[in-house]
């Protein structure tokens, strides 16, 4: 997991346990085959993609629970 992405996402989701839970749940969803909501780039793992989705506003606290 890239530290720069964690820092950026932490600016959006201020509560760290919630951020951790959001990323964890989204990683499970991506690993299960759910569509990624951001552009896949070489070298990015599932956690990085989840963080990018949070940073870009593709998922929020309200939408992460809808699975």
């Amino acid at each position: 997991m890239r530290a720069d992405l964690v820092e950026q996402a932490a600016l959006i989701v201020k509560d760290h346990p919630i951020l951790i839970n959001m990323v964890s749940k989204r990683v499970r969803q991506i690993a299960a085959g759910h569509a990624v909501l951001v552009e896949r780039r070489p070298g990015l793992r599932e956690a990085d993609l989840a963080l990018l989705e949070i940073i870009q506003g593709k998922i929020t606290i309200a939408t992460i629970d809808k699975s």
Side-chain angles (χ1 to χ4, degrees):
M1 192 172 352
R2 291 183 27 190
D4 60 322
L5 295 177
V6 173
E7 290 175 10
Q8 290 177 47
L11 295 174
I12 297 165
V13 180
K14 308 264 188 237
D15 191 342
H16 288 100
I18 291 176
L19 177 60
I20 291 166
N21 287 337
M22 289 175 69
V23 172
S24 176
K25 182 165 187 167
R26 189 64 182 130
V27 165
R28 286 192 303 271
Q29 290 174 343
I30 293 169
H34 290 245
V36 177
L37 304 175
V38 295
E39 179 185 343
R40 284 188 181 259
R41 291 185 263 163
L44 292 182
R45 302 188 62 136
E46 288 85 357
D48 299 322
L49 294 170
L51 289 166
L52 278 173
E53 291 177 341
I54 293 168
I55 293 164
Q56 294 181 14
K58 304 289 184 179
I59 60 172
T60 64
I61 294 168
T63 60
I64 193 71
D65 291 331
K66 296 178 182 176
S67 59

